[in-house]
Amino acid sequence: MELRHLRYFVAVAEEGSLTVAAERRLHTAQPSLSRQIRDLERAVGTPLLVRSARGVELTPSGRVFLDHARLALAQVEAAVEAARRAARPDKPTLALGFLTGQEVDWLAEAMRILRDELPNIEVTVSSQHSPDLAQALLHGRLDVAFMRPEPGMPDLDYKLVLTEPLIVVLPSDHRLASQDAVALRDIVGETFIGMSGTAPTLRAIIDDCLQRSGLDIPQAHRVDNLAMAISLVASTRGVALLPDYARNFLPWAVTSRPLAGERPAIDLVVGYNRANGSPLLRLFLSRLDRLAKRASPG
């Protein structure tokens, strides 16, 4: 069994079609790809894929094998990236990632932590959705990220930085803007804007909050990010539940109010791959208590 077998299998499983995987992902001939999959199945000793009217589907064995194949490929990518970094010893690099928008609050603080080391290191910064940050940590493209605690990522460790409440975001001239706080029952009948699968942790917290309320608050729209949510609040005169840091980005036409009653909250964490042996990562983690103090009220 070779790495190419794993890459071919993952491509077919994700595309659901030998033809599509061959043409779009692997740039190889479909008959050749079929042979590679058969070779893999012989090596494993059990069928992994079955043909169906919709293309190909995973067998129960295939579903189990897929998770391990992805992990093996991710570990290989991480090893390659680590080796490439080791080949550039002249100026070590620390790759920082931020949940889009959080760099406004935390980049300066993160750089302050590294202030004494900055003359000797290079710091790169990227801004992405939290699930994308998790994948970058797994694949070795990032060393550390300010993100949400993503489920189903056993190779990642998290350290809590801040727990922030959700707030109600609404048009500045909305009838509810005159209130000091807005209860969920106040937004029944309003155009409610929820989150899509690009923010699974936030989406789960919002969905759970609405479900436990017992109120009829259908989600008219689901958006990918804070900027889109804020734009829809302004354009549809809707309301949204967003993390408190969204207040940093509100235009004049949009405002926020605390949520009355029980206030759901979401964690901001520093995530990292526990297999990452970078000394700079260990240095950064050893100084996280400064970030905790920065996040404490007062």
Side-chain angles (χ1 to χ4, degrees), residues 3-59:
L3 282 176
R4 60 187 169 84
H5 291 123
L6 300 183
R7 293 193 181 96
Y8 291 169
F9 170 73
V10 170
V12 173
E14 291 178 348
E15 296 295 343
S17 166
L18 284 161
T19 302
V20 173
E23 293 178 354
R24 298 183 184 176
R25 292 273 294 270
L26 303 171
H27 307 293
T28 188
Q30 189 267 330
S32 174
L33 177 57
S34 297
R35 286 194 299 272
Q36 300 291 338
I37 296 298
R38 287 196 298 271
D39 290 344
L40 175 62
E41 290 177 323
R42 277 195 293 269
V44 175
T46 186
L48 303 175
L49 297 165
V50 292
R51 294 184 180 275
S52 71
R54 295 185 294 273
V56 294
E57 296 181 353
L58 291 167
T59 65

Side-chain angles (χ1 to χ4, degrees), residues 95-132:
L96 285 174
F98 291 88
L99 176 65
T100 300
Q102 290 285 2
E103 64 272 19
V104 173
D105 284 335
W106 298 106
L107 177 57
E109 206 62 32
M111 299 301 281
R112 216 167 275 133
I113 283 181
L114 298 167
R115 179 178 53 200
D116 297 337
E117 306 295 327
L118 286 178
N120 306 313
I121 66 173
E122 179 182 347
V123 178
T124 65
V125 178
S126 64
S127 174
Q128 303 174 62
H129 296 307
S130 187
D132 295 332

Side-chain angles (χ1 to χ4, degrees), residues 176-256:
L176 298 176
S178 61
Q179 301 180 187
D180 293 332
V182 176
L184 284 178
R185 63 177 178 274
D186 296 332
I187 64 176
V188 172
E190 300 289 336
T191 299
F192 188 84
I193 298 158
M195 299 302 299
S196 74
T198 60
T201 304
L202 177 57
R203 174 177 176 169
I205 291 173
I206 294 173
D207 289 353
D208 180 66
C209 173
L210 297 180
Q211 184 177 4
R212 287 189 293 107
S213 74
L215 300 170
D216 182 21
I217 307 178
Q219 301 189 46
H221 306 281
R222 287 191 182 270
V223 297
D224 291 344
N225 53 59
L226 255 61
M228 192 179 298
I230 293 168
S231 295
L232 271 181
V233 166
S235 62
T236 69
R237 298 194 53 78
V239 298
L241 294 180
L242 297 177
D244 186 66
Y245 83 101
R247 292 186 296 121
N248 292 335
F249 310 100
L250 299 184
W252 65 268
V254 178
T255 189
S256 69

